[in-house]
């Protein structure tokens, strides 16, 4: 029965490191970008362009990093990632020129993949897979305060320190706080897997709802849906304030935009209290639907203040749920076997889509205007809903396998033919009636 309880200590520890990880490696950048640009004699656009390149590089490396989560264990990878993240921030702070800074920034975003949500979700799955979906929900609730905390923290530090000094402080936080916490989690995970010589995580492995021969198509549909959601999220989030200003809401743009963070947290809290029995696929569809509807509300209602508030809240609700389902939906569809590698592939698609979205959306606003740009974002949200609906069709034709033995199932990277062969040689029996 002990394995049906949530690993509260691990969730709390990861909540701390996720806030620090996202706050220091992502949210702080927008506060410090102007000072960075002045220091290197560049425009702010060039600095954000470097960030986009760094995010793209992180996305390309994500599949390899995901495999490392399975091979070495998420706790060890996160410990190593925290050390690398701290070193990368120090290299950014010590950069003598823009080229060196750009290389260090790429290293920073690659390290971010080793310590942020994808790795944290994998650790929770490896630690206690049978309650991992609930653990992920609680973790995203705690980590939802990263922007709320680190925007003012970064601004306060920046009042007395140059951006290099702020990055040095953040480097110390990753090395002195996050790395020891992740090391403790790695030892907890190792202890749980080796106690009495039994791999308890494998014994409690979670099975996916898709049959082996359906998994490749299901994975493609899930990645398409997540990629469109990441594109919508990144495009709107980066440009939210100028978007509202361009629609005649300049005086309220910052105030309305600030509703996004609390709305994210509120959606996770509501889901935690009222949506515990809601299947992850339904939650994913709701998330995508909210992200598709929100720009329509803004487009049709602006410059109404009420419409702008509804837009910010709906978008925050959808984005908040998106963080949850990006961890729980892969687990629900494909199970816990090979979860780290699966998360690596999902992270790659999301990061690549989100890396180019801010530039593409800015280009669209400048050349075709805000209405058409918002329309394109709405289409992206609808495409995500359709992809998730197609997965629902696959699930309806499949029933979860009741298995014996190891419980290992082929990952979605296998072809349908090889997956079927693997399933036929295992001891798993599936009820397809």
């Amino acid at each position: 029965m002990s394995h049906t309880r949530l690993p509260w200590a691990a969730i709390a520890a990861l909540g701390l490191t996720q806030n620090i990880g996202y706050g220091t490696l992502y949210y702080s950048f927008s506060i410090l970008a102007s000072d960075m640009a002045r220091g290197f004699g560049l425009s702010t656009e060039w600095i954000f362009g470097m960030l986009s390149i760094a995010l793209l590089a992180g996305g390309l490396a994500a599949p390899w990093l995901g495999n490392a989560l399975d091979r070495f264990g998420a706790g060890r990878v996160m410990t190593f990632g925290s050390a690398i993240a701290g070193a990368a921030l120090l290299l950014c702070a010590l950069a003598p020129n823009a080229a060196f800074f750009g290389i260090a920034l790429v290293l920073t975003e690659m390290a971010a993949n080793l310590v942020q949500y994808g790795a944290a979700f994998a650790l929770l799955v490896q630690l206690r897979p049978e309650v991992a979906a609930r653990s992920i929900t609680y973790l995203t609730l705690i980590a939802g305060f990263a922007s709320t905390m680190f925007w003012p923290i970064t601004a306060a530090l920046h009042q007395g320190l140059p951006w290099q000094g702020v990055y040095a402080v953040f480097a110390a936080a990753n090395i002195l706080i996050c790395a020891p916490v992740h090391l403790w989690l790695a030892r907890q995970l190792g202890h749980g897997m080796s106690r009495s010589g039994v791999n308890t995580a494998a014994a409690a492995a979670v099975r996916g709802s898709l049959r082996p021969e359906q998994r490749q198509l299901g994975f493609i549909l899930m990645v398409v849906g997540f990629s469109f959601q990441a594109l919508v999220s990144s495009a709107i989030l980066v440009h939210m304030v100028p978007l509202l200003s361009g629609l005649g809401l300049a005086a309220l743009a910052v105030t309305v935009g600030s509703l996004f963070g609390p709305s994210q947290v509120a959606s996770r809290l509501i889901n935690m209290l009222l949506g515990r029995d809601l299947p992850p696929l339904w939650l994913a569809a709701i998330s995508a639907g909210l992200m598709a509807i929100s720009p329509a509300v803004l487009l049709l209602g602006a410059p109404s203040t009420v419409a702008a508030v509804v837009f910010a809240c709906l978008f925050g609700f959808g984005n908040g749920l998106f963080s949850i389902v990006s961890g729980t939906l892969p687990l629900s569809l494909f199970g816990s076997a090979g979860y780290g590698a699966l998360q690596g592939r999902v992270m790659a698609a999301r990061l690549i889509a989100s890396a180019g979205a801010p530039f593409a959306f800015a280009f669209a606003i400048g050349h075709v205007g805000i209405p058409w740009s918002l329309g394109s974002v709405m289409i992206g949200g609808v495409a995500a809903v359709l992809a998730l609906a197609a997965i629902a069709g696959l699930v309806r034709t499949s029933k979860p396998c009741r298995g014996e033995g190891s419980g290992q199932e082929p990952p979605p990277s296998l072809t349908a033919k090889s997956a079927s062969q693997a399933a036929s040689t295992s001891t798993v029996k599936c009820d397809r009636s």
Side-chain angles (χ1 to χ4, degrees):
M1 294 295 293
S2 63
H3 295 296
T4 63
R5 292 197 298 266
L6 292 174
W8 290 112
I11 293 171
L14 284 172
L16 171 65
T17 64
Q18 290 302 286
N19 276 300
I20 294 174
Y22 275 99
T24 61
L25 301 173
Y26 185 75
Y27 287 114
S28 65
F29 192 86
S30 61
I31 303 295
L32 304 174
S34 296
D35 195 12
M36 293 172 177
R38 284 192 298 269
F40 291 119
L42 300 172
S43 66
T44 304
E45 288 75 14
W46 272 101
I47 293 295
F48 277 103
M50 289 183 180
L51 178 63
S52 292
I53 294 173
L55 289 171
L56 179 61
L60 295 174
W64 177 82
L65 300 176
N67 289 331
L69 294 171
D70 286 333
R71 181 175 181 182
F72 302 107
R76 292 178 181 177
V77 170
M78 294 186 79
T79 303
F80 176 74
S82 293
I84 296 299
L89 288 172
L90 279 177
L91 288 175
C92 286
L94 298 173
N97 52 55
F100 190 97
F101 173 79
I103 295 172
L105 191 61
V106 167
L107 182 61
T108 301
E109 293 308 319
M110 293 180 69
N113 287 340
L114 299 176
V115 298
Q116 293 178 347
Y117 271 155
F121 294 164
L123 191 147
L124 291 173
V125 169
Q126 293 172 4
L127 183 65
R128 203 162 293 175
E130 70 278 20
V131 293
R134 290 173 58 204
S135 299
I136 288 170
T137 300
Y138 282 97
L139 175 61
T140 57
L141 177 65
I142 299 171
F145 294 98
S147 61
T148 304
M149 290 192 303
F150 272 86
W151 276 335
I153 287 174
T154 304
L157 288 172
H158 196 32
Q159 288 182 352
L161 295 171
W163 72 266
Q164 293 94 334
V166 177
Y167 261 24
V169 172
F170 289 166
N174 278 275
I175 294 171
L176 300 179
I177 299 177
C178 295
V181 171
H182 291 154
L183 180 60
W184 174 77
L185 288 168
R187 290 174 175 171
Q188 292 295 111
L189 181 59
H191 177 68
M193 295 178 67
S194 62
R195 184 170 43 197
S196 301
V198 177
N199 187 332
T200 56
V206 173
R207 297 189 179 281
S209 58
L210 292 179
R211 296 197 304 266
E213 66 269 20
Q214 295 175 314
R215 293 186 167 202
Q216 189 170 26
L217 177 58
F219 178 75
I220 292 172
L221 291 171
M222 183 184 70
V223 167
V224 168
F226 281 177
S227 295
F228 275 116
Q229 283 190 266
L231 189 150
V232 172
S233 174
S234 181
I236 291 182
L237 185 57
V238 171
H239 297 285
M240 182 177 289
V241 172
L243 185 66
L244 294 170
S245 299
L247 290 171
L249 293 158
L252 297 172
V254 174
T255 302
V256 172
S258 66
L259 296 173
F260 167 77
S263 297
Q264 280 199 119
V265 175
S267 69
R268 294 166 185 171
L269 181 61
I270 292 171
N271 175 68
M272 182 181 69
L273 296 176
L274 304 177
R276 293 176 58 178
D277 297 325
L278 191 66
L281 188 56
W282 281 66
L283 195 65
I286 293 171
S287 169
L290 290 172
M291 294 173 74
I293 292 170
S294 59
V297 171
L298 182 63
L299 183 60
L300 297 175
S304 166
T305 302
V306 174
V309 169
V310 173
F311 152 74
C313 291
L314 289 177
F315 180 65
F317 292 156
N319 204 73
L321 296 177
F322 182 36
S323 297
I324 297 175
V325 299
S326 63
T328 59
L329 184 58
L331 180 64
S332 172
L333 295 177
F334 306 107
S336 56
Y339 182 84
L342 186 66
Q343 270 293 325
R345 297 185 184 95
V346 172
M347 284 192 297
R350 289 183 57 187
L351 287 170
I352 291 171
S354 61
F359 173 78
F361 195 61
F363 182 85
I365 290 174
H367 287 79
V368 300
I370 290 179
W372 286 102
S373 301
L374 282 175
S376 66
V377 169
M378 290 165 50
I379 292 173
V382 171
V385 174
L386 294 176
L388 295 168
I391 297 176
L394 289 178
V395 172
R396 279 195 295 270
T397 63
S398 177
K399 287 187 178 181
C401 295
R402 296 184 181 92
E404 303 169 353
S406 68
Q408 297 297 315
E409 295 182 346
S413 57
L414 293 178
T415 63
K417 180 179 179 180
S418 61
S420 299
Q421 292 172 345
S424 66
T425 58
S426 70
T427 58
V428 177
K429 299 178 181 179
C430 295
D431 179 8
R432 301 185 186 179
S433 60

